[in-house]
Coordinates of all heavy atoms in Angstrom, one line a residue:
M1 N 99.6 -255.5 -53.3 CA 100.7 -255.8 -54.1 C 100.2 -255.9 -55.7 O 99.3 -256.6 -55.8 CB 101.3 -257.1 -53.7 CG 102.6 -257.5 -54.6 SD 104.1 -256.7 -54.3 CE 104.6 -257.5 -52.8
A2 N 100.8 -255.1 -56.5 CA 100.4 -255.3 -57.8 C 101.0 -256.5 -58.6 O 102.1 -257.0 -58.1 CB 100.8 -254.1 -58.6
M3 N 100.3 -257.0 -59.5 CA 100.8 -258.1 -60.3 C 100.8 -257.8 -61.9 O 100.0 -257.0 -62.2 CB 99.9 -259.5 -60.1 CG 100.0 -259.8 -58.5 SD 98.9 -261.2 -58.3 CE 97.2 -260.5 -58.5
T4 N 101.8 -258.4 -62.5 CA 101.9 -258.2 -63.9 C 102.0 -259.5 -64.7 O 102.6 -260.4 -64.3 CB 103.2 -257.4 -64.2 OG1 103.1 -256.1 -63.5 CG2 103.3 -257.0 -65.7
I5 N 101.4 -259.4 -65.9 CA 101.6 -260.5 -66.9 C 101.9 -259.8 -68.2 O 101.4 -258.8 -68.5 CB 100.3 -261.3 -67.0 CG1 100.7 -262.7 -67.9 CG2 99.2 -260.7 -67.6 CD1 99.6 -263.8 -67.8
T6 N 102.9 -260.3 -68.9 CA 103.3 -259.8 -70.2 C 103.2 -260.9 -71.3 O 103.4 -262.1 -71.0 CB 104.7 -259.3 -70.2 OG1 105.6 -260.3 -69.9 CG2 104.9 -258.1 -69.2
C7 N 102.8 -260.5 -72.6 CA 102.8 -261.5 -73.7 C 104.2 -262.0 -73.8 O 104.4 -263.1 -74.2 CB 102.5 -260.7 -74.8 SG 100.6 -260.5 -74.9
A8 N 105.3 -261.2 -73.7 CA 106.6 -261.6 -73.8 C 106.8 -262.8 -72.9 O 107.6 -263.8 -73.4 CB 107.7 -260.6 -73.5
A9 N 106.5 -262.8 -71.7 CA 106.7 -263.9 -70.8 C 105.8 -265.1 -71.2 O 106.3 -266.3 -70.9 CB 106.1 -263.5 -69.3
M10 N 104.9 -265.0 -72.0 CA 104.1 -266.2 -72.6 C 104.7 -266.6 -73.9 O 104.1 -267.5 -74.6 CB 102.8 -265.7 -72.7 CG 102.0 -265.6 -71.4 SD 100.3 -265.3 -71.4 CE 100.2 -263.7 -72.3
G11 N 105.7 -265.9 -74.4 CA 106.4 -266.4 -75.6 C 106.0 -265.7 -76.9 O 106.3 -266.1 -77.9
Y12 N 105.3 -264.6 -76.7 CA 104.6 -263.9 -77.9 C 105.7 -262.8 -78.2 O 106.2 -262.1 -77.3 CB 103.3 -263.3 -77.7 CG 102.2 -264.3 -77.5 CD1 101.4 -264.4 -76.3 CD2 101.9 -265.0 -78.6 CE1 100.5 -265.4 -76.3 CE2 100.8 -266.0 -78.5 CZ 100.2 -266.2 -77.4 OH 99.2 -267.1 -77.4
D13 N 105.8 -262.4 -79.4 CA 106.6 -261.3 -79.8 C 105.7 -260.2 -79.8 O 105.3 -259.7 -80.9 CB 107.2 -261.6 -81.2 CG 108.1 -260.3 -81.7 OD1 108.6 -259.7 -80.8 OD2 108.4 -260.4 -82.9
C14 N 105.5 -259.6 -78.6 CA 104.3 -258.6 -78.5 C 104.7 -257.9 -77.3 O 105.2 -258.4 -76.2 CB 103.1 -259.4 -78.3 SG 101.6 -258.4 -77.9
G15 N 104.6 -256.6 -77.2 CA 105.0 -255.8 -76.1 C 103.8 -255.4 -75.1 O 104.0 -254.8 -74.2
Y16 N 102.7 -256.2 -75.2 CA 101.6 -256.0 -74.3 C 101.8 -256.4 -72.9 O 102.4 -257.6 -72.7 CB 100.3 -256.7 -75.1 CG 99.1 -256.4 -74.2 CD1 98.4 -255.2 -74.3 CD2 98.6 -257.4 -73.3 CE1 97.1 -254.9 -73.7 CE2 97.4 -257.2 -72.5 CZ 96.7 -255.9 -72.8 OH 95.5 -255.7 -72.0
G17 N 101.3 -255.9 -71.9 CA 101.4 -256.2 -70.6 C 100.2 -255.7 -69.8 O 99.7 -254.6 -70.1
V18 N 99.7 -256.4 -68.8 CA 98.7 -256.0 -68.0 C 99.1 -256.0 -66.6 O 99.8 -256.9 -66.0 CB 97.5 -256.9 -68.0 CG1 96.2 -256.3 -67.1 CG2 97.0 -257.1 -69.5
T19 N 99.0 -254.9 -65.8 CA 99.2 -254.9 -64.4 C 97.9 -254.7 -63.6 O 97.1 -253.9 -64.1 CB 100.3 -253.7 -64.1 OG1 101.4 -254.0 -64.8 CG2 100.5 -253.7 -62.6
G20 N 97.8 -255.3 -62.6 CA 96.6 -255.2 -61.9 C 96.7 -255.6 -60.4 O 97.7 -256.0 -60.0
R21 N 95.6 -255.3 -59.6 CA 95.8 -255.5 -58.2 C 95.4 -256.9 -57.8 O 95.7 -257.4 -56.8 CB 94.9 -254.5 -57.4 CG 95.6 -253.9 -56.2 CD 94.8 -252.7 -55.7 NE 94.5 -251.8 -56.8 CZ 93.6 -250.7 -56.6 NH1 93.1 -250.5 -55.5 NH2 93.4 -250.0 -57.6
D22 N 94.5 -257.6 -58.7 CA 94.1 -258.9 -58.4 C 94.1 -259.7 -59.7 O 94.2 -259.3 -60.8 CB 92.8 -259.0 -57.7 CG 91.7 -258.3 -58.6 OD1 91.6 -258.7 -59.7 OD2 91.1 -257.4 -57.9
M23 N 94.0 -261.1 -59.5 CA 94.1 -262.0 -60.5 C 93.0 -261.8 -61.5 O 93.3 -261.9 -62.7 CB 94.1 -263.4 -59.9 CG 94.3 -264.6 -60.8 SD 96.1 -264.9 -60.9 CE 96.4 -265.7 -59.4
D24 N 91.8 -261.5 -61.1 CA 90.7 -261.4 -62.0 C 90.8 -260.3 -63.0 O 90.5 -260.4 -64.1 CB 89.4 -261.3 -61.2 CG 88.9 -262.4 -60.5 OD1 89.4 -263.5 -60.8 OD2 88.0 -262.4 -59.6
Q25 N 91.4 -259.2 -62.3 CA 91.7 -257.9 -63.3 C 92.6 -258.3 -64.3 O 92.4 -258.0 -65.5 CB 92.2 -256.8 -62.3 CG 92.2 -255.6 -62.9 CD 92.6 -254.5 -61.9 OE1 93.0 -254.8 -60.8 NE2 92.6 -253.3 -62.3
I26 N 93.7 -259.0 -63.9 CA 94.7 -259.3 -64.9 C 94.2 -260.3 -65.9 O 94.5 -260.2 -67.2 CB 96.0 -260.0 -64.2 CG1 96.7 -258.8 -63.4 CG2 96.9 -260.6 -65.1 CD1 97.8 -259.2 -62.6
L27 N 93.4 -261.4 -65.5 CA 93.0 -262.4 -66.4 C 92.1 -261.8 -67.4 O 92.0 -262.2 -68.6 CB 92.4 -263.4 -65.6 CG 93.4 -264.4 -64.8 CD1 92.6 -265.4 -64.1 CD2 94.4 -265.1 -65.9
S28 N 91.1 -260.8 -67.0 CA 90.2 -260.3 -67.9 C 90.9 -259.4 -68.9 O 90.6 -259.3 -70.1 CB 89.0 -259.5 -67.1 OG 89.5 -258.2 -66.9
G29 N 92.0 -258.8 -68.5 CA 92.7 -257.9 -69.6 C 93.5 -258.8 -70.5 O 93.4 -258.6 -71.6
I30 N 94.1 -259.9 -70.0 CA 94.8 -260.8 -71.0 C 93.9 -261.5 -71.8 O 94.1 -261.8 -73.0 CB 95.9 -261.6 -70.1 CG1 96.9 -262.1 -71.1 CG2 95.2 -262.8 -69.5 CD1 98.0 -261.0 -71.6
K31 N 92.7 -261.9 -71.4 CA 91.7 -262.5 -72.1 C 91.3 -261.6 -73.3 O 91.1 -262.1 -74.4 CB 90.4 -262.9 -71.3 CG 90.5 -264.1 -70.6 CD 89.2 -264.4 -69.9 CE 89.1 -265.8 -69.2 NZ 88.1 -266.0 -68.6
H32 N 90.9 -260.4 -73.0 CA 90.5 -259.5 -74.0 C 91.5 -259.3 -75.1 O 91.4 -259.3 -76.2 CB 90.1 -258.2 -73.4 CG 89.7 -257.1 -74.3 ND1 88.2 -257.2 -74.7 CD2 90.2 -256.0 -74.9 CE1 88.1 -256.2 -75.6 NE2 89.3 -255.5 -75.7
H33 N 92.9 -259.1 -74.6 CA 94.0 -258.9 -75.6 C 94.2 -260.2 -76.4 O 94.4 -260.1 -77.6 CB 95.2 -258.6 -74.7 CG 96.4 -258.5 -75.5 ND1 96.7 -257.5 -76.3 CD2 97.4 -259.5 -75.8 CE1 97.9 -257.7 -77.1 NE2 98.4 -258.9 -76.7
S34 N 94.1 -261.3 -75.8 CA 94.4 -262.6 -76.5 C 93.3 -262.9 -77.5 O 93.6 -263.4 -78.7 CB 94.4 -263.8 -75.5 OG 95.5 -263.6 -74.7
L35 N 92.1 -262.5 -77.3 CA 91.1 -262.6 -78.1 C 91.2 -261.8 -79.4 O 91.1 -262.2 -80.6 CB 89.7 -262.3 -77.5 CG 88.4 -262.3 -78.2 CD1 88.1 -263.8 -78.5 CD2 87.2 -261.7 -77.5
E36 N 91.6 -260.5 -79.1 CA 91.6 -259.4 -80.3 C 93.0 -259.7 -81.1 O 93.0 -259.5 -82.2 CB 91.6 -258.1 -79.7 CG 90.3 -257.8 -78.9 CD 89.9 -256.5 -79.5 OE1 90.5 -255.6 -79.7 OE2 88.6 -256.4 -79.5
F37 N 94.1 -260.0 -80.4 CA 95.4 -259.8 -81.0 C 96.0 -261.2 -81.3 O 96.9 -261.4 -82.0 CB 96.4 -259.0 -80.2 CG 96.1 -257.5 -80.3 CD1 95.1 -257.1 -79.3 CD2 96.5 -256.7 -81.2 CE1 94.8 -255.8 -79.3 CE2 96.1 -255.4 -81.3 CZ 95.2 -254.9 -80.2
H38 N 95.7 -262.3 -80.5 CA 96.3 -263.6 -80.8 C 95.5 -264.7 -81.2 O 95.8 -265.9 -81.2 CB 97.1 -263.9 -79.5 CG 98.1 -263.0 -79.2 ND1 99.2 -262.8 -79.9 CD2 98.1 -262.1 -78.0 CE1 100.0 -261.9 -79.2 NE2 99.4 -261.4 -78.2
G39 N 94.2 -264.3 -81.7 CA 93.4 -265.3 -82.3 C 92.8 -266.3 -81.4 O 92.5 -267.4 -82.0
Y40 N 92.7 -266.1 -80.1 CA 92.1 -267.1 -79.2 C 90.6 -267.2 -79.5 O 90.0 -266.2 -79.7 CB 92.4 -266.8 -77.7 CG 93.7 -267.1 -77.2 CD1 94.9 -266.6 -77.7 CD2 93.8 -268.0 -76.2 CE1 96.1 -266.9 -77.2 CE2 95.1 -268.3 -75.6 CZ 96.2 -267.9 -76.2 OH 97.4 -268.1 -75.7
S41 N 90.0 -268.3 -79.3 CA 88.6 -268.5 -79.4 C 88.1 -268.3 -78.0 O 88.8 -268.5 -77.0 CB 88.3 -269.8 -79.9 OG 88.7 -270.9 -79.1
E42 N 86.7 -268.1 -77.9 CA 86.1 -268.0 -76.6 C 86.4 -269.4 -75.8 O 86.6 -269.3 -74.6 CB 84.7 -267.8 -76.6 CG 84.2 -266.5 -77.3 CD 84.3 -265.3 -76.2 OE1 84.6 -265.7 -75.0 OE2 84.2 -264.2 -76.5
E43 N 86.3 -270.4 -76.4 CA 86.5 -271.7 -75.8 C 87.9 -271.8 -75.2 O 88.1 -272.3 -74.1 CB 86.4 -272.8 -76.9 CG 86.1 -274.1 -76.4 CD 85.6 -275.1 -77.5 OE1 86.5 -275.6 -78.1 OE2 84.5 -275.1 -77.9
E44 N 89.0 -271.4 -76.0 CA 90.3 -271.4 -75.4 C 90.5 -270.5 -74.2 O 91.1 -270.7 -73.2 CB 91.3 -271.1 -76.5 CG 91.5 -272.1 -77.5 CD 92.4 -271.6 -78.8 OE1 92.1 -270.5 -79.3 OE2 93.4 -272.2 -79.0
L45 N 89.7 -269.2 -74.2 CA 89.9 -268.3 -73.3 C 89.4 -268.9 -72.0 O 89.9 -268.5 -70.9 CB 89.1 -267.0 -73.6 CG 89.7 -266.1 -74.8 CD1 88.9 -265.0 -75.0 CD2 91.1 -265.8 -74.6
N46 N 88.5 -269.7 -71.9 CA 87.9 -270.3 -70.7 C 88.4 -271.6 -70.5 O 87.9 -272.4 -69.5 CB 86.4 -270.3 -70.9 CG 85.8 -268.9 -71.0 OD1 86.0 -268.0 -70.0 ND2 85.3 -268.5 -72.1
S47 N 89.4 -272.1 -71.2 CA 89.9 -273.4 -70.9 C 90.8 -273.3 -69.6 O 91.7 -272.5 -69.4 CB 90.8 -273.8 -72.1 OG 91.9 -274.6 -71.6
P48 N 90.6 -274.4 -68.7 CA 91.4 -274.3 -67.4 C 92.9 -274.4 -67.8 O 93.7 -273.8 -67.0 CB 91.0 -275.6 -66.8 CG 89.5 -275.8 -67.4 CD 89.6 -275.3 -68.7
D49 N 93.3 -275.0 -68.8 CA 94.7 -275.3 -69.1 C 95.3 -273.8 -69.5 O 96.4 -273.5 -69.1 CB 94.9 -276.1 -70.3 CG 94.8 -277.6 -69.9 OD1 94.6 -278.0 -68.8 OD2 94.6 -278.4 -70.8
V50 N 94.6 -273.1 -70.3 CA 95.0 -271.8 -70.7 C 95.1 -270.9 -69.5 O 96.1 -270.2 -69.3 CB 94.0 -271.2 -71.8 CG1 94.4 -269.8 -72.1 CG2 94.2 -272.0 -73.1
I51 N 94.1 -270.8 -68.7 CA 94.0 -270.0 -67.5 C 95.2 -270.3 -66.6 O 95.9 -269.4 -66.0 CB 92.7 -270.0 -66.8 CG1 91.6 -269.4 -67.8 CG2 92.7 -269.3 -65.5 CD1 90.1 -269.5 -67.4
E52 N 95.4 -271.6 -66.3 CA 96.5 -272.1 -65.4 C 97.8 -271.6 -66.0 O 98.7 -271.2 -65.2 CB 96.5 -273.5 -65.3 CG 95.5 -274.1 -64.4 CD 95.6 -273.4 -63.0 OE1 96.7 -273.3 -62.4 OE2 94.5 -272.9 -62.5
R53 N 98.1 -271.7 -67.3 CA 99.3 -271.2 -67.8 C 99.5 -269.7 -67.7 O 100.6 -269.3 -67.4 CB 99.2 -271.5 -69.4 CG 100.4 -271.2 -70.1 CD 100.6 -271.9 -71.5 NE 101.5 -271.2 -72.4 CZ 100.9 -270.4 -73.4 NH1 99.8 -270.3 -73.7 NH2 101.8 -269.8 -74.1
W54 N 98.3 -268.9 -67.8 CA 98.5 -267.5 -67.6 C 98.8 -267.2 -66.2 O 99.7 -266.4 -65.8 CB 97.2 -266.9 -68.0 CG 97.0 -266.7 -69.4 CD1 97.9 -266.7 -70.4 CD2 95.7 -266.6 -70.1 NE1 97.4 -266.4 -71.7 CE2 95.9 -266.4 -71.4 CE3 94.4 -266.5 -69.7 CZ2 95.0 -266.2 -72.4 CZ3 93.4 -266.3 -70.7 CH2 93.7 -266.2 -72.0
K55 N 98.2 -267.9 -65.2 CA 98.3 -267.7 -63.9 C 99.8 -268.0 -63.4 O 100.4 -267.3 -62.7 CB 97.4 -268.6 -63.0 CG 96.1 -268.0 -62.9 CD 95.2 -269.0 -62.1 CE 93.8 -268.5 -61.9 NZ 93.0 -269.4 -61.1
G56 N 100.4 -269.0 -64.2 CA 101.9 -269.3 -64.0 C 102.8 -268.3 -64.5 O 103.9 -268.2 -64.0
E57 N 102.4 -267.4 -65.3 CA 103.2 -266.3 -65.8 C 103.1 -265.1 -65.1 O 103.7 -264.0 -65.4 CB 102.9 -266.1 -67.3 CG 103.3 -267.3 -68.1 CD 104.7 -267.8 -68.1 OE1 105.5 -267.0 -67.6 OE2 105.0 -268.9 -68.5
I58 N 102.1 -264.9 -64.2 CA 101.9 -263.7 -63.5 C 103.0 -263.5 -62.5 O 103.4 -264.3 -61.8 CB 100.5 -263.6 -62.7 CG1 99.3 -263.6 -63.8 CG2 100.4 -262.5 -61.8 CD1 98.0 -263.8 -63.3
R59 N 103.5 -262.2 -62.5 CA 104.6 -261.9 -61.6 C 104.2 -260.8 -60.7 O 103.4 -259.8 -61.0 CB 105.9 -261.4 -62.5 CG 106.4 -262.5 -63.3 CD 107.0 -263.6 -62.7 NE 107.6 -264.6 -63.5 CZ 106.9 -265.8 -63.7 NH1 105.8 -266.0 -62.9 NH2 107.4 -266.6 -64.6
Q60 N 104.8 -260.8 -59.4 CA 104.6 -259.7 -58.6 C 105.3 -258.4 -59.1 O 106.3 -258.6 -59.7 CB 105.2 -259.9 -57.1 CG 104.6 -261.1 -56.5 CD 103.1 -260.9 -56.1 OE1 102.8 -259.8 -55.9 NE2 102.4 -262.0 -56.0
S61 N 104.6 -257.3 -58.9 CA 105.1 -256.1 -59.5 C 105.2 -255.0 -58.3 O 104.2 -254.9 -57.6 CB 104.4 -255.6 -60.7 OG 104.6 -254.4 -61.0
A62 N 106.2 -254.2 -58.5 CA 106.3 -253.1 -57.5 C 105.5 -251.8 -58.0 O 105.2 -250.9 -57.4 CB 107.7 -252.8 -57.3
R63 N 105.2 -251.9 -59.4 CA 104.5 -250.8 -60.0 C 103.0 -250.7 -59.6 O 102.4 -251.6 -59.2 CB 104.5 -250.9 -61.6 CG 105.8 -251.0 -62.2 CD 106.4 -249.5 -62.3 NE 107.6 -249.5 -63.0 CZ 107.6 -249.1 -64.3 NH1 106.5 -248.6 -64.9 NH2 108.7 -249.1 -65.0
P64 N 102.5 -249.4 -59.5 CA 101.1 -249.3 -59.2 C 100.3 -249.9 -60.4 O 100.8 -250.0 -61.5 CB 100.9 -247.7 -59.1 CG 102.1 -247.2 -59.9 CD 103.2 -248.2 -59.7
D65 N 99.0 -250.2 -60.1 CA 98.2 -250.8 -61.1 C 97.8 -249.9 -62.3 O 97.5 -248.7 -62.1 CB 97.0 -251.4 -60.6 CG 96.1 -250.4 -59.8 OD1 96.7 -249.5 -59.0 OD2 94.8 -250.4 -60.0
A66 N 98.1 -250.3 -63.5 CA 97.9 -249.6 -64.7 C 98.1 -250.5 -65.8 O 98.9 -251.5 -65.7 CB 98.8 -248.4 -64.8
I67 N 97.5 -250.2 -67.0 CA 97.9 -251.0 -68.2 C 98.9 -250.3 -68.9 O 98.8 -249.1 -69.2 CB 96.5 -251.1 -69.0 CG1 95.5 -252.0 -68.2 CG2 96.9 -251.9 -70.4 CD1 94.2 -252.2 -69.0
R68 N 100.0 -251.0 -69.2 CA 101.1 -250.4 -69.8 C 101.7 -251.4 -70.8 O 101.5 -252.6 -70.7 CB 102.2 -250.1 -68.8 CG 102.8 -251.2 -68.1 CD 103.5 -250.8 -66.8 NE 103.9 -252.0 -66.1 CZ 105.1 -252.5 -66.3 NH1 106.0 -252.0 -67.1 NH2 105.5 -253.6 -65.6
T69 N 102.5 -250.9 -71.7 CA 103.3 -251.7 -72.6 C 104.7 -251.6 -72.3 O 105.3 -250.5 -72.4 CB 103.0 -251.3 -74.1 OG1 103.3 -249.9 -74.2 CG2 101.7 -251.5 -74.5
P70 N 105.3 -252.6 -71.7 CA 106.7 -252.6 -71.3 C 107.7 -252.1 -72.3 O 108.7 -251.4 -71.8 CB 107.0 -254.1 -70.9 CG 105.7 -254.7 -70.7 CD 104.7 -253.9 -71.6
R71 N 107.5 -252.4 -73.6 CA 108.4 -252.0 -74.6 C 107.8 -250.9 -75.4 O 107.9 -250.9 -76.6 CB 108.8 -253.1 -75.4 CG 109.7 -254.2 -74.7 CD 110.2 -255.3 -75.6 NE 109.0 -256.2 -75.6 CZ 108.9 -257.1 -76.7 NH1 109.8 -257.1 -77.6 NH2 107.9 -257.9 -76.7
D72 N 107.3 -249.9 -74.8 CA 106.4 -249.0 -75.5 C 107.2 -248.1 -76.4 O 106.7 -247.5 -77.4 CB 105.5 -248.1 -74.7 CG 106.3 -247.3 -73.6 OD1 107.4 -247.2 -73.6 OD2 105.7 -246.9 -72.6
E73 N 108.6 -248.0 -76.2 CA 109.4 -247.2 -77.1 C 109.4 -247.9 -78.5 O 109.3 -247.1 -79.5 CB 110.9 -247.3 -76.7 CG 111.1 -246.5 -75.4 CD 111.0 -245.1 -75.5 OE1 111.5 -244.5 -76.5 OE2 110.3 -244.5 -74.6
S74 N 109.3 -249.1 -78.7 CA 109.3 -249.7 -80.1 C 108.0 -250.2 -80.4 O 107.8 -250.8 -81.5 CB 110.3 -250.9 -80.0 OG 109.9 -251.8 -79.0
D75 N 107.0 -250.0 -79.7 CA 105.7 -250.5 -80.0 C 104.6 -249.5 -80.2 O 103.4 -249.6 -80.0 CB 105.2 -251.4 -78.8 CG 105.8 -252.7 -78.7 OD1 106.3 -253.1 -80.0 OD2 105.8 -253.4 -77.7
R76 N 105.1 -248.3 -80.8 CA 104.2 -247.2 -81.1 C 103.1 -247.6 -82.1 O 102.0 -247.3 -82.0 CB 104.9 -245.9 -81.6 CG 105.6 -245.2 -80.5 CD 104.5 -244.5 -79.7 NE 104.7 -244.5 -78.2 CZ 105.6 -243.6 -77.6 NH1 106.3 -242.8 -78.3 NH2 105.8 -243.7 -76.4
D77 N 103.6 -248.4 -83.2 CA 102.7 -248.9 -84.1 C 102.4 -250.5 -84.0 O 103.1 -251.2 -84.6 CB 103.2 -248.5 -85.5 CG 104.6 -249.1 -85.9 OD1 105.2 -249.3 -84.9 OD2 104.9 -249.2 -87.0
V78 N 101.8 -250.9 -82.9 CA 101.5 -252.3 -82.6 C 100.8 -252.9 -83.7 O 99.8 -252.5 -84.2 CB 100.7 -252.4 -81.3 CG1 100.6 -253.9 -80.9 CG2 101.6 -251.8 -80.0
K79 N 101.3 -254.0 -84.2 CA 100.6 -254.7 -85.2 C 99.9 -255.9 -84.6 O 100.1 -256.4 -83.5 CB 101.6 -255.4 -86.2 CG 102.4 -254.3 -87.0 CD 103.3 -254.9 -87.9 CE 104.1 -253.8 -88.6 NZ 104.8 -252.9 -87.7
P80 N 98.6 -256.1 -85.2 CA 97.7 -257.2 -84.6 C 98.3 -258.6 -84.6 O 97.8 -259.5 -85.4 CB 96.5 -257.1 -85.4 CG 96.9 -256.5 -86.7 CD 98.2 -255.7 -86.4
H81 N 99.4 -258.8 -84.0 CA 99.8 -260.2 -84.0 C 100.2 -260.5 -82.4 O 101.1 -259.8 -81.8 CB 101.0 -260.4 -84.8 CG 101.6 -261.8 -84.6 ND1 100.9 -262.9 -85.0 CD2 102.8 -262.2 -84.0 CE1 101.6 -263.9 -84.8 NE2 102.9 -263.6 -84.1
Ligands
ZN101 ZN1 100.0 -259.9 -77.1

């Protein structure tokens, strides 16, 4: 079963999403993105509170695993925010 997390679900005005087959894959994807686009520090990325919050936003997905942008129609020129 694939799982998905999106920035929109976390309250960001951002079309990024990660779909993966397991939690580790998703967390590593969202960590990398949060570091680059949302100004997270390494400390925050490894904070249990932050990781728990992400885990709480992960949803089961019927889609096969792939990295995709849910709103890719409007996110062709994604801004670093
Ligand atoms: Zn984002």
Side-chain angles (χ1 to χ4, degrees):
M1 178 79 75
M3 298 181 287
T4 301
I5 187 168
T6 61
C7 282
M10 296 187 290
Y12 292 115
D13 184 17
C14 170
Y16 184 81
V18 183
T19 298
R21 225 169 309 174
D22 59 54
M23 190 85 75
D24 286 347
Q25 195 178 2
I26 291 176
L27 289 178
S28 88
I30 200 71
K31 273 185 179 183
H32 184 77
H33 173 79
S34 296
L35 182 68
E36 297 226 326
F37 291 89
H38 297 296
Y40 278 63
S41 65
E42 290 283 350
E43 206 168 88
E44 286 172 305
L45 294 180
N46 293 300
S47 150
D49 286 350
V50 171
I51 291 169
E52 280 308 308
R53 184 163 155 251
W54 284 336
K55 285 182 178 174
E57 298 299 342
I58 292 173
R59 299 286 176 262
Q60 299 292 335
S61 166
R63 297 284 191 103
D65 56 315
I67 293 174
R68 66 198 175 91
T69 51
R71 288 179 284 158
D72 57 14
E73 293 293 313
S74 58
D75 283 340
R76 282 287 141 81
D77 54 341
V78 178
K79 294 183 181 59
H81 175 70

